[in-house]
């Protein structure tokens, strides 16, 4: 079983990825928050630069709808050593979809066809310009904007291109991150997409039960296709940083042991303290202002609080802080 950490804008930066790998691990591929600028520099360059990433494998994600821009970014990534990039066709944010990017590209089928043709046609050229043998292009996608009836047409487009991996969040854009998971649509992809393209599942894996619910389908489908199953996890890993490591332990059990398995140990509080402390300290070095560091940590706590089952009052105490010393004091008290 391959398990990936999903890209989350402003959250899963190289600082978070490095700390996660050090204290928890179990991730086979980390995906970066999306890139959009024509020239890699500043924050975006620091985030993707191999010197800053002490993890197993990193895949940069690109969020554009201009093929030339996509290839320009891909060439720069190939120049610093990357051999896979990921196209974001799944982001449901209104500011993104309004520009025809992310999931907003899915109902512009003629434009999407032309875009995919141009990037797959151009990838060998930019790889050669960068001195790389090749660069694979994977795709992270939703199953449509508004209607399930969009998905078969989208699959008919995808099947024509050498997509190295298709990561599917089986929801429509309008459903964002709630509501029904459309497993029938996910399963349909295995009938339509060539076996050369690996298919990965993404969406609502938050514990062992939800993982096993998806895996019932994914194991059989992936094995029939001749490759190892893969699942991408985002919010679940932030709510419980031990989730991915626990799932790897679970996968190592025999079928009989899995049936008897009732759960894993309670998350280790000392490990979590060290994990979030290292993230905060690294952001102090990365950012010029203390207030920025506190704001960044508050973003993370919006997820951590759910997994730790903090009360609204406790989370409010964290969000009221503005100084780093104050933030650390409140967190120490809550976790004591």
């Amino acid at each position: 079983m391959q398990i990936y950490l999903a890209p989350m804008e402003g959250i899963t930066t190289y600082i978070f990825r490095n700390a996660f790998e050090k204290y928890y691990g179990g991730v086979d591929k980390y995906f970066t928050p999306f890139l959009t600028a024509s020239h890699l520099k500043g924050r975006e360059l620091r985030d993707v630069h191999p010197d800053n990433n002490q993890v197993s494998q990193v895949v940069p994600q690109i969020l554009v709808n201009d093929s030339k821009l996509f290839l320009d970014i891909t060439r720069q990534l190939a120049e610093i050593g990357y051999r896979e990039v990921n196209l974001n066709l799944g982001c449901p944010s209104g500011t993104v979809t309004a520009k025809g990017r992310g999931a907003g590209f899915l109902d512009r089928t003629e434009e999407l066809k032309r875009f995919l043709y141009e990037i797959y046609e151009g990838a060998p050229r930019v790889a050669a310009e960068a001195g790389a043998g090749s660069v694979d292009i994977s795709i992270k996608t939703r199953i449509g904007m508004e209607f399930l009836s969009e998905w078969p047409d989208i699959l008919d487009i995808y099947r024509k291109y050498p997509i190295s991996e298709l990561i599917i969040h089986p929801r429509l854009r309008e459903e964002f991150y709630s509501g029904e998971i459309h497993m029938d649509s996910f399963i349909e992809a295995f009938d339509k997409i060539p076996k050369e393209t690996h298919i990965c599942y993404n969406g609502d894996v938050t514990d062992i039960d939800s993982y096993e619910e998806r895996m019932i389908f994914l194991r059989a489908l992936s094995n029939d296709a001749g490759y190892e199953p893969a699942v991408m996890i985002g919010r679940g890993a932030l709510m419980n940083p031990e989730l991915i490591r626990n799932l790897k332990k679970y996968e190592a059990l025999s079928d009989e042991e899995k049936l008897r398995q009732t759960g894993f140990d309670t998350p280790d509080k000392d490990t979590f303290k060290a994990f979030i402390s290292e993230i905060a300290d690294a952001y102090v070095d990365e950012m010029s202002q203390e207030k920025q560091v506190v704001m960044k940590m508050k973003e993370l706590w919006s997820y951590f609080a759910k997994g730790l089952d903090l009360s609204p009052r406790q989370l409010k105490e964290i969000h009221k802080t503005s100084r780093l010393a104050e933030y650390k004091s409140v967190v120490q008290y809550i976790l004591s």
Side-chain angles (χ1 to χ4, degrees), residues 33 56 65 99 127 187 209 272 277 287 306 322:
S56 49
N65 58 6
K99 297 176 182 177
I187 292 168
D209 288 342
F272 181 73
S277 177
M287 296 175 167
K306 297 173 185 175
S322 58

Side-chain angles (χ1 to χ4, degrees), residues 17-87:
R17 297 192 297 268
N18 289 343
F20 195 95
E21 180 80 0
K22 177 178 177 180
Y23 289 97
Y24 298 106
V27 177
D28 296 289
K29 279 187 189 180
Y30 291 84
F31 287 71
T32 74
F34 56 71
L35 304 168
T36 59
S38 58
H39 297 287
L40 292 178
K41 59 184 179 180
R43 176 185 59 81
E44 287 191 336
L45 180 58
R46 288 195 301 275
D47 192 54
V48 299
H49 201 286
D51 290 348
N52 291 333
N53 284 276
Q54 287 85 54
V55 301
S56 49
Q57 184 177 354
V58 181
V59 178
Q61 186 179 81
I62 303 173
L63 177 73
V64 298
N65 58 6
D66 178 283
S67 59
K68 182 180 183 303
L69 178 55
F70 182 95
L71 291 170
D72 285 345
I73 297 171
T74 298
R75 176 181 47 76
Q76 294 172 72
L77 291 166
E79 286 173 348
I80 58 175
Y82 285 100
R83 298 298 178 261
E84 179 186 348
V85 297
N86 181 258
L87 170 64

Side-chain angles (χ1 to χ4, degrees), residues 257-272:
E257 289 171 325
K258 286 176 181 175
L259 291 173
R260 295 199 304 266
Q261 180 62 47
T262 57
F264 290 93
D265 295 336
T266 302
D268 182 73
K269 192 171 286 188
D270 289 337
T271 301
F272 181 73

Side-chain angles (χ1 to χ4, degrees), residues 84-132:
E84 179 186 348
V85 297
N86 181 258
L87 170 64
N88 183 323
L89 293 176
C91 180
S93 165
T95 55
V96 169
T97 57
K99 297 176 182 177
R101 299 177 179 177
F105 212 161
L106 296 177
D107 63 354
R108 305 183 182 197
T109 53
E110 292 305 314
E111 293 177 40
L112 181 60
K113 288 176 189 176
R114 183 166 60 251
F115 174 87
L116 292 177
Y117 173 82
E118 290 170 353
I119 66 170
Y120 282 102
E121 184 77 8
R125 172 180 55 81
V126 298
E129 291 171 355

Side-chain angles (χ1 to χ4, degrees), residues 27-302:
V27 177
D28 296 289
K29 279 187 189 180
Y30 291 84
F31 287 71
T32 74
F34 56 71
L35 304 168
T36 59
S38 58
H39 297 287
L40 292 178
K41 59 184 179 180
R43 176 185 59 81
E44 287 191 336
L45 180 58
R46 288 195 301 275
D47 192 54
V48 299
H49 201 286
D51 290 348
N52 291 333
N53 284 276
Q54 287 85 54
V55 301
S56 49
Q57 184 177 354
V58 181
V59 178
Q61 186 179 81
I62 303 173
L63 177 73
V64 298
N65 58 6
D66 178 283
S67 59
K68 182 180 183 303
L69 178 55
F70 182 95
L71 291 170
D72 285 345
I73 297 171
T74 298
R75 176 181 47 76
Q76 294 172 72
L77 291 166
E79 286 173 348
I80 58 175
Y82 285 100
R83 298 298 178 261
E84 179 186 348
V85 297
N86 181 258
L87 170 64
N88 183 323
L89 293 176
C91 180
S93 165
T95 55
V96 169
T97 57
K99 297 176 182 177
R101 299 177 179 177
F105 212 161
L106 296 177
D107 63 354
R108 305 183 182 197
T109 53
E110 292 305 314
E111 293 177 40
L112 181 60
K113 288 176 189 176
R114 183 166 60 251
F115 174 87
L116 292 177
Y117 173 82
E118 290 170 353
I119 66 170
Y120 282 102
E121 184 77 8
R125 172 180 55 81
V126 298
E129 291 171 355
S134 63
V135 177
D136 290 334
I137 302 173
S138 58
I139 293 177
K140 185 174 186 292
T141 187
R142 293 247 169 175
I143 59 174
M145 278 286 285
E146 298 181 84
F147 307 106
L148 293 177
S149 57
E150 298 169 40
W151 184 229
D153 291 338
I154 294 168
L155 286 175
D156 282 340
I157 295 172
Y158 289 160
R159 69 194 306 267
K160 297 174 183 176
Y161 299 98
I163 300 168
S164 61
E165 187 162 34
L166 186 62
I167 302 164
I168 302 171
H169 184 136
R171 280 194 177 103
L172 299 167
R173 179 266 172 182
E174 67 170 12
E175 295 171 315
F176 284 83
Y177 298 100
S178 61
E180 181 184 357
I181 287 284
H182 304 287
M183 285 305 295
D184 288 347
S185 296
F186 177 77
I187 292 168
E188 183 181 358
F190 283 84
D191 293 329
K192 292 279 189 73
I193 298 297
K195 288 184 170 65
E196 291 76 19
T197 295
H198 292 192
I199 296 175
C200 170
Y201 175 82
N202 170 234
D204 284 17
V205 174
T206 57
D207 53 26
I208 289 173
D209 288 342
S210 57
Y211 172 79
E212 188 57 38
E213 184 180 349
R214 318 295 183 224
M215 289 307 301
I216 289 173
F217 299 101
L218 187 55
R219 285 192 193 97
L221 292 166
S222 299
N223 290 338
D224 287 346
Y227 51 79
E228 190 175 5
V231 61
M232 174 180 277
I233 301 174
R235 292 167 296 152
L238 268 76
M239 290 187 288
N240 176 11
E242 295 198 28
L243 174 63
I244 292 177
R245 185 170 64 182
N246 284 346
L247 293 177
K248 285 293 180 81
K249 291 178 183 177
Y250 175 79
E251 279 294 332
L253 300 175
S254 68
D255 289 343
E256 184 178 341
E257 289 171 325
K258 286 176 181 175
L259 291 173
R260 295 199 304 266
Q261 180 62 47
T262 57
F264 290 93
D265 295 336
T266 302
D268 182 73
K269 192 171 286 188
D270 289 337
T271 301
F272 181 73
K273 286 179 183 177
F275 169 61
I276 60 171
S277 177
E278 183 149 325
I279 292 173
D281 291 344
Y283 273 124
V284 169
D285 295 334
E286 170 81 1
M287 296 175 167
S288 58
Q289 296 182 15
E290 184 177 298
K291 189 174 181 180
Q292 291 178 304
V293 177
V294 175
M295 290 296 292
K296 182 63 68 174
M297 297 309 296
K298 288 177 185 179
E299 281 187 88
L300 290 168
W301 272 99
S302 296

